C-alpha cells in the first residue's frame, strides 16, 4: 500500500507546473548537458554537506593513481578505525582479505562502502590524510573554490563541504574518464574472489519503493545527519535526445531524494525539447552579384538551428541578422568568407553562421556593357563629336595650306 501511494503521489506530482513543485531537497542544480546550461536551480552556490557524494572525487582520484586494476590489495583492520563509531556504511571486508583495486572501486562507489573506501585510499596513498591532500589538490585544479575535503568517506565535518553546482562540475569532469563512467553506470558487481556482490544504492532504493529509474543512467547517493539524503545522477530523455545531470542535497528522508530526481526529470522530459528556429537548407541570406550572368547567390543553413524551450517557436521572434559584404564582386574566390548571419530569438543570440562563397561568380563583359550602356552611349557620342571636330580642323588646316600654295 505504501508503494502504491508513493507511485500515485509521483504521478500526480509530475503533471503540475515546475514553479509549483515542492521539492524536498534544499539544494538543487539541474543541467541540460547538451548545452551545458543550468535549467533549474535552488541554492546551488550555497555551502552544503555532501555526504557520500564525496566518493565521486575519491573514486576519480583513485582511478588516476591506479596503474593496474587487477593488482592485489590486502585488507587490514587498522584501515577501518572509527567507521563503526561514525555509523558509516560498510560492505563487510575482512581482515587479511585479498581483493583487487577493481573490487574496491566498485565496493566504494556502488555500495558506498566506507571500508572499501579506506582500503583503497590507504593502499594507494599510505594514509587517508595523504589521499585527502590529493583530493583537495584535484579540487583546486578543477577550480572548485567552494569545495574542501577532510576525509575520503564523506563523514560530517565543519571543514568538509561543497556546493551542488561544484559537485555537478566534478561529476561532469569525472564522466570524461571511461573507467569512472563504467563504474557510474553499473548496477551490480561481484568481487573477483566471489565473496561479495555489491549493488547500486540508488537503484536498490528505487526498486524498493517501486519508483521508475530506467531513464537514469547512473547515480551516487549519500546520507549523513548534516547532509541528509543526497543524490547526484545523470538521465537521458530518449524521446528528445537530451542528457541531464542533477545534484541534490538535504532531502529529509528516503526516498525523497529519488522522488525529487524522478519528478524533475519527468517534468523536463515532458515539457522541454529543442524547437527549430532555422532548418537545414533554409535560405538565410541572398546576396546580389556585380557584372555576372548569375544575378544573385542564395546561402543556406548548414544545419538545424534550435532553441531549448517549453513551447513552440514564435516565428516573429526569429531574426536573421546579416553582417558583411552586400555585393559579390566578379571572380571572388570560392571559399571566401563574405560575412556572418546572426540567428537571434527573442533578442538572444543563438548562433552565428559564417557565409562562405561556394560557387563561382564569373565576370561577364556583356553584362558589364548592358549595365553601363548609358555611359557607353555618352562616351561614344563624345568620341564621335571629338572625331568630327578633329576632322573639321584637319580639313580647315588642309584647305588653308592649299590656298597659301596657290
Amino acid at each position: 500500500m505504501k508503494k502504491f501511494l508513493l507511485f500515485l503521489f509521483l504521478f500526480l506530482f509530475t503533471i503540475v507546473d515546475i514553479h509549483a513543485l515542492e521539492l524536498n531537497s534544499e539544494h538543487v542544480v539541474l543541467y541540460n548537458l547538451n548545452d551545458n546550461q543550468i535549467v533549474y536551480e535552488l541554492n546551488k552556490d550555497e555551502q552544503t554537506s555532501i555526504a557520500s557524494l564525496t566518493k565521486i572525487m575519491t573514486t576519480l582520484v583513485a582511478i588516476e593513481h591506479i596503474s593496474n586494476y587487477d593488482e592485489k590489495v590486502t585488507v587490514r583492520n587498522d584501515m577501518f578505525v572509527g567507521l563503526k563509531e561514525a555509523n558509516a556504511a560498510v560492505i563487510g571486508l575482512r581482515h587479511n582479505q585479498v581483493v583487487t583495486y577493481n573490487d574496491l572501486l566498485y565496493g566504494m562507489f556502488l555500495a558506498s562502502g566506507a571500508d572499501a573506501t579506506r582500503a583503497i585510499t590507504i593502499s594507494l596513498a599510505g594514509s587517508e590524510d595523504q589521499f585527502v591532500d590529493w583530493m583537495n589538490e584535484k579540487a583546486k585544479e578543477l577550480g572548485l573554490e567552494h569545495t574542501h575535503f577532510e576525509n575520503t568517506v564523506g563523514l560530517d565535518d565543519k571543514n568538509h563541504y561543497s556546493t551542488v553546482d561544484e559537485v555537478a562540475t566534478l561529476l561532469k569532469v569525472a564522466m570524461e574518464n571511461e573507467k569512472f563512467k563504467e563504474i557510474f553506470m553499473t548496477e551490480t558487481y561481484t568481487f573477483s574472489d566471489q565473496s561479495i556482490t555489491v549493488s547500486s544504492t540508488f537503484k536498490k532504493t528505487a526498486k524498493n519503493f517501486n519508483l521508475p529509474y530506467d531513464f537514469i543512467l547512473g547515480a551516487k547517493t549519500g546520507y549523513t545527519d548534516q547532509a541528509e539524503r543526497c543524490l547526484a545522477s545523470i538521465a537521458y530523455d530518449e524521446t528528445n535526445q537530451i542528457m541531464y545531470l542533477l545534484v541534490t542535497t538535504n532531502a529529509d528522508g528516503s526516498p525523497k531524494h529519488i522522488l525529487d530526481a524522478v519528478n524533475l526529470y519527468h517534468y523536463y522530459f515532458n515539457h522541454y525539447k529543442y524547437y527549430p528556429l532555422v532548418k537545414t537548407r533554409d535560405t538565410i541570406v541572398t546576396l546580389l552579384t556585380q557584372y555576372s550572368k548569375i544575378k544573385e547567390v542564395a546561402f543556406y543553413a548548414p544545419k538545424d538551428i534550435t532553441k531549448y524551450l517549453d513551447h513552440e517557436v514564435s516565428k516573429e521572434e526569429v531574426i536573421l541578422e546579416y553582417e558583411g559584404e552586400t555585393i559579390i564582386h566578379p571572380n571572388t574566390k570560392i571559399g571566401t568568407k563574405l560575412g556572418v548571419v546572426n540567428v537571434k530569438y527573442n533578442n538572444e543570440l543563438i548562433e552565428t553562421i559564417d557565409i562562405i562563397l561556394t560557387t563561382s561568380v564569373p565576370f561577364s563583359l556583356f553584362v558589364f556593357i548592358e549595365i553601363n550602356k548609358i555611359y557607353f552611349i555618352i562616351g561614344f557620342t563624345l568620341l564621335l563629336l571629338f572625331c568630327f571636330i578633329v576632322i573639321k580642323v584637319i580639313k580647315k588646316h588642309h584647305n588653308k595650306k592649299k590656298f597659301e600654295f596657290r
Side-chain angles (χ1 to χ4, degrees), residues 286-322:
T286 299
L287 299 180
L288 297 175
T289 66
Q290 184 181 51
Y291 308 139
S292 178
K293 289 183 179 179
I294 301 172
K295 300 299 182 184
E296 60 184 25
V297 177
F299 296 85
Y300 307 99
K303 61 179 181 178
D304 286 350
I305 309 298
T306 60
K307 174 69 175 171
Y308 179 77
L309 295 167
D310 63 348
H311 56 80
E312 290 280 355
V313 165
S314 170
K315 291 301 181 182
E316 292 75 20
E317 297 292 338
V318 180
I319 298 173
L320 302 179
E321 193 176 77
Y322 175 71

Side-chain angles (χ1 to χ4, degrees), residues 66 68-76 79 93-94 96-104 116 118-124 192-193:
I66 295 171
N68 179 7
Y69 296 116
D70 295 323
E71 184 178 340
K72 303 295 184 181
V73 178
T74 301
V75 175
R76 306 186 311 272
M79 294 175 171
L93 293 175
R94 305 182 310 277
N96 284 333
Q97 184 176 355
V98 178
V99 294
T100 66
Y101 277 125
N102 205 49
D103 296 334
L104 294 176
R118 283 279 188 81
I120 196 170
T121 55
I122 292 172
S123 295
L124 286 171
S192 55
D193 64 359

Side-chain angles (χ1 to χ4, degrees), residues 315-374:
K315 291 301 181 182
E316 292 75 20
E317 297 292 338
V318 180
I319 298 173
L320 302 179
E321 193 176 77
Y322 175 71
E323 299 175 2
E325 300 288 340
T326 55
I327 295 177
I328 304 173
H329 300 290
N331 298 320
T332 300
K333 291 183 179 179
I334 291 176
T336 299
K337 180 179 175 180
L338 301 173
V340 297
V341 169
N342 295 316
V343 181
K344 295 183 176 181
Y345 185 75
N346 195 22
N347 293 321
E348 175 191 356
L349 178 62
I350 305 302
E351 191 150 345
T352 297
I353 304 172
D354 289 339
I355 299 302
I356 308 293
L357 185 64
T358 59
T359 184
S360 61
V361 181
F363 174 77
S364 170
L365 180 60
F366 175 79
V367 174
F368 179 79
I369 294 172
E370 179 69 19
I371 292 174
N372 296 285
K373 60 185 176 183
I374 185 64

